[in-house]
Amino acid sequence: MKLRNNLAVMLALGSALVLNAQNDVKINVKEKGEKFDHYWSKMVGAGRANEGLRAGWLEQLEQVQQNCGFEYVRFHGLFHDDMFPVITEKGKTVYNWQYIDDLFDRMLDLKVKPFVELAFFPSSFAAKDSKTVFWWKANVTPAADSFQKWHDLVKAFTQHCVDRYGREEVLTWYFEVWNEPNLHPFFWDGTKSQYFELYKQSVTAVRSVDKRFKVGGPSTSNFVPDTRFDGEVTDDKASDALFNTEDINSLQWHGVWIEDFLKYCKKENLPVDFVSTHPYPTDYAFNPETGKGRGLTRFVGSTKLDLEWLKKTIAKSAFPNVEIHLTEWSTSPSSRDDMHDRLPAAAYIVKTNLDCIGLTNSLSYWTFTDIFEEKGGAAKIFHGGFGMINYQGLVKPSYHAYRMLHQLGDTKLYKNDYLFVSKKSTNGNIVALAYNYPQEYENAVPSGNNKRETGTAKELNFTLTGLRPGASFKIEILDKDHGNIHNYWEAIGKPEPPTREEIKVMKQYANNMLTSYVNADSKGNLTINRTISPWSLILINQIN
């Protein structure tokens, strides 16, 4: 506890020093800078495949692709019964790809590729008494003959994708085996060894169609500080000490099954093209606000620590050059966490993504839409759903966080703890993104049923030099009074549900940033002096 307190003091002092020195910050835009990838735009999550057949889901996917740049989308339930991949005709098993084709066709038309999650079992493949998950009853218990049937299904599916979309297209896809199999018996009612066998059958099936296709796993859940997942199935008693720990951030957290998975693949001579896991900054998934998980939310820097651990672990393995895809991530793994709808989530998203540049190939936000039914349909239009867009199409602050990140250039010129200045290699234009994650909250991730829009303001003072004289910049501000749709909904009386006219007004408000324009002076200098209110974002974008 003392160590963490000392670190907090050091962070606070460091922030104060930055504040005092900001008037001296001059950034020459003619500097070469350092290239970086927009890994935050690589992928985004969604609930399940069948939801993707709805008009609203597709409309929102098109919106986030155009404005946030997402290249791939990942979802559960591709082989669930409601997609009808396996049917029985005259006593024979027949594969049926019509529903999957419809979904993939529409996604590709929108310029979004599938990040294919191979899951879950069709009913005819699962054990007769299979456990199920979610209201839509995904089958998660393998039978004795499940693995051979699964191999044949995955092989036939992969070949069909090649036949329909072409080999060159499918070479750009990713195939991930299952979802969070360590959460026994929730997502996988089997052992660790049985999951490894499932991976073996999956990768063998996919690679039998083309040895170049990209397959990975183990798609495990959030990091832990104990041994609960070391055995064949979860040992919850191993985490008892965690609940008596005063400061969970002082513990050593590590990824789940990663090392065992890589050792298994080396032993079995199996290919691994990417490692996937879900670094939510909480412990005990699905209930971080109540019950067993209450209070187990880590500090804002936890995602960076987890990614550093993961990168080092992979570097020491037999697969040091594999890609890293973090196929789920958010402020929490609860689809009823009020903070998903609110302003602080935006500052968390921006800070974490900018801090983790260079550590991963993707950090996939879970999810782009509230058309999402793991717990069934929600009765309120704002219910803490994962989505960056709600069911009615109202964009949340999290959407603006990704929209602003997407507008950054591809070359870093300057970064401190709340300012990132970039340049576009295509035209040399400058884009800066500033944010205020208040220092008094640095030891926590925003979560819980409270606004938490308070905190210390920051002074943003810097000068860009080397610009073209008169260069124009657009400034957009997301704060508690602009683009913060949840607050506006509360202010107008929480209509439930809103009328069609109210929705039109709310959509306009949700997209309305505080906007202004500034120009560089005759010497090509532009000085920015602004106060950033708590949890706000400021995008400074050169427009000519």
Side-chain angles (χ1 to χ4, degrees):
M1 186 67 176
K2 183 177 180 181
L3 177 61
R4 174 58 60 190
N5 286 339
N6 288 341
L7 178 58
V9 171
M10 291 169 65
L11 286 169
L13 289 174
S15 298
L17 290 172
V18 170
L19 281 170
N20 292 335
Q22 276 289 290
N23 286 324
D24 298 324
V25 171
K26 291 186 178 181
I27 303 159
N28 184 351
V29 304
K30 293 183 178 180
E31 294 289 336
K32 183 178 179 180
E34 181 182 346
K35 289 282 188 178
F36 68 95
D37 292 326
H38 280 213
Y39 73 93
W40 45 76
S41 298
K42 187 75 171 181
M43 180 188 357
V44 71
R48 80 182 198 277
N50 190 266
E51 293 159 0
L53 300 175
R54 302 179 191 175
W57 191 98
L58 292 165
E59 289 169 1
Q60 292 184 21
L61 180 62
E62 181 177 23
Q63 182 176 356
V64 297
Q65 193 284 323
Q66 291 178 348
N67 297 317
C68 305
F70 296 120
E71 301 173 36
Y72 293 82
V73 65
R74 171 189 178 267
F75 39 74
H76 305 320
L78 187 68
F79 296 144
H80 183 58
D81 289 348
D82 63 8
M83 296 298 284
F84 303 98
V86 178
I87 58 178
T88 301
E89 292 183 350
K90 298 180 181 180
K92 294 183 178 181
T93 296
V94 177
Y95 298 132
N96 170 40
W97 311 119
Q98 294 182 87
Y99 284 64
I100 295 175
D101 288 348
D102 186 18
L103 174 57
F104 283 12
D105 288 356
R106 294 175 187 274
M107 288 169 51
L108 291 168
D109 286 345
L110 297 176
K111 300 180 181 179
V112 181
K113 299 175 183 290
F115 196 105
V116 181
E117 178 195 299
L118 299 171
F120 296 102
F121 289 130
S123 293
S124 59
F125 287 19
K128 291 184 178 179
D129 57 347
S130 176
K131 292 186 181 296
T132 63
V133 60
F134 306 134
W135 75 270
W136 43 276
K137 298 186 182 304
N139 293 291
V140 299
T141 307
D145 61 351
S146 292
F147 297 98
Q148 184 60 52
K149 289 181 177 179
W150 180 261
H151 174 277
D152 295 344
L153 171 67
V154 171
K155 181 177 180 179
F157 163 72
T158 307
Q159 183 62 58
H160 172 75
C161 290
V162 171
D163 295 341
R164 185 173 184 84
Y165 302 109
R167 193 171 302 274
E168 293 306 310
E169 171 61 33
V170 180
L171 279 168
T172 68
W173 297 5
Y174 295 84
F175 296 85
E176 182 183 33
V177 181
W178 215 256
N179 175 74
E180 299 187 351
N182 61 295
L183 294 183
H184 175 275
F186 193 77
F187 277 120
W188 178 245
D189 186 29
T191 65
K192 181 192 297 185
S193 295
Q194 284 179 308
Y195 169 75
F196 289 169
E197 176 64 23
L198 187 79
Y199 180 83
K200 181 178 182 178
Q201 295 300 327
S202 301
V203 71
T204 303
V206 172
R207 287 296 195 94
S208 70
V209 179
D210 195 309
K211 293 182 179 179
R212 298 172 294 171
F213 288 162
K214 290 175 283 195
V215 189
S219 189
T220 42
S221 68
N222 42 303
F223 284 44
V224 298
D226 51 50
T227 61
R228 79 188 76 154
F229 295 121
D230 286 4
E232 284 292 304
V233 295
T234 307
D235 176 14
D236 281 325
K237 291 184 178 180
S239 62
D240 286 348
L242 174 67
F243 298 97
N244 297 317
T245 301
E246 184 178 356
D247 179 17
I248 64 172
N249 292 311
S250 66
L251 303 175
Q252 298 298 311
W253 297 72
H254 61 272
V256 175
W257 286 14
I258 306 296
E259 293 160 296
D260 288 348
F261 171 72
L262 294 173
K263 290 176 182 177
Y264 171 81
C265 291
K266 178 185 178 182
K267 177 184 175 183
E268 296 293 320
N269 196 29
L270 298 175
V272 179
D273 297 294
F274 64 90
V275 169
S276 63
T277 190
H278 303 160
Y280 289 104
T282 63
D283 199 358
Y284 276 88
F286 312 113
N287 61 347
E289 304 309 321
T290 60
K292 195 169 186 179
R294 186 174 179 85
L296 296 182
T297 300
R298 299 163 67 194
F299 80 118
V300 67
S302 62
T303 300
K304 184 179 180 181
L305 290 181
D306 292 347
L307 270 59
E308 289 172 341
W309 178 94
L310 183 59
K311 198 170 181 69
K312 290 177 183 178
T313 298
I314 292 172
K316 293 185 294 184
S317 75
F319 306 91
N321 299 316
V322 299
E323 295 182 25
I324 299 173
H325 290 287
L326 306 167
T327 50
E328 289 185 26
W329 173 80
S330 184
T331 56
S332 82
S334 169
S335 62
R336 296 296 185 270
D337 184 344
D338 194 52
M339 196 51 64
H340 293 315
D341 299 330
R342 297 188 180 273
L343 180 64
Y348 174 70
I349 289 166
V350 168
K351 175 176 172 55
T352 301
N353 277 281
L354 293 178
D355 285 350
C356 293
I357 288 174
L359 295 176
T360 182
N361 298 98
S362 69
L363 181 62
S364 179
Y365 190 73
W366 188 258
T367 60
F368 77 86
T369 177
D370 274 353
I371 301 173
F372 179 96
E373 299 174 344
E374 287 186 355
K375 290 188 176 181
K380 296 181 179 181
I381 69 166
F382 290 111
H383 55 274
F386 286 119
M388 59 181 73
I389 308 178
N390 87 334
Y391 197 94
Q392 287 72 24
L394 301 171
V395 298
K396 304 178 188 179
S398 56
Y399 164 87
H400 290 298
Y402 280 98
R403 181 181 62 82
M404 291 181 177
L405 283 167
H406 180 53
Q407 293 187 61
L408 289 172
D410 55 3
T411 304
K412 181 184 74 174
L413 297 179
Y414 179 82
K415 181 184 184 301
N416 65 20
D417 64 344
Y418 58 96
L419 172 65
F420 189 92
V421 181
S422 69
K423 178 166 58 176
K424 296 182 177 180
S425 59
T426 53
N427 57 14
N429 280 4
I430 304 302
V431 185
L433 181 54
Y435 60 92
N436 183 355
Y437 196 103
Q439 64 185 41
E440 57 264 49
Y441 290 105
E442 286 181 345
N443 284 338
V445 169
S447 63
N449 297 313
N450 57 79
K451 292 185 180 181
R452 283 191 65 182
E453 292 174 1
T454 60
T456 302
K458 295 184 186 294
E459 294 302 317
L460 179 66
N461 300 306
F462 69 97
T463 298
L464 300 176
T465 66
L467 295 165
R468 177 181 55 79
S472 297
F473 287 78
K474 179 181 180 181
I475 299 178
E476 294 182 63
I477 298 177
L478 169 73
D479 61 20
K480 65 183 183 64
D481 299 316
H482 300 88
N484 188 10
I485 187 59
H486 192 282
N487 278 20
Y488 181 76
W489 173 67
E490 289 181 320
I492 63 174
K494 299 182 180 180
E496 200 72 82
T499 65
R500 296 179 70 188
E501 289 302 316
E502 286 173 330
I503 289 174
K504 289 179 182 178
V505 173
M506 292 171 73
K507 282 186 175 181
Q508 184 176 2
Y509 180 90
N511 281 291
N512 187 26
M513 304 293 100
L514 179 61
T515 303
S516 60
Y517 297 85
V518 294
N519 297 89
D521 63 21
S522 60
K523 295 182 179 180
N525 299 325
L526 176 66
T527 298
I528 301 294
N529 293 300
R530 288 182 178 267
T531 298
I532 316 177
S533 58
W535 308 107
S536 300
L537 308 182
I538 301 180
L539 181 70
I540 305 164
N541 196 351
Q542 185 176 353
I543 55 178
N544 67 32

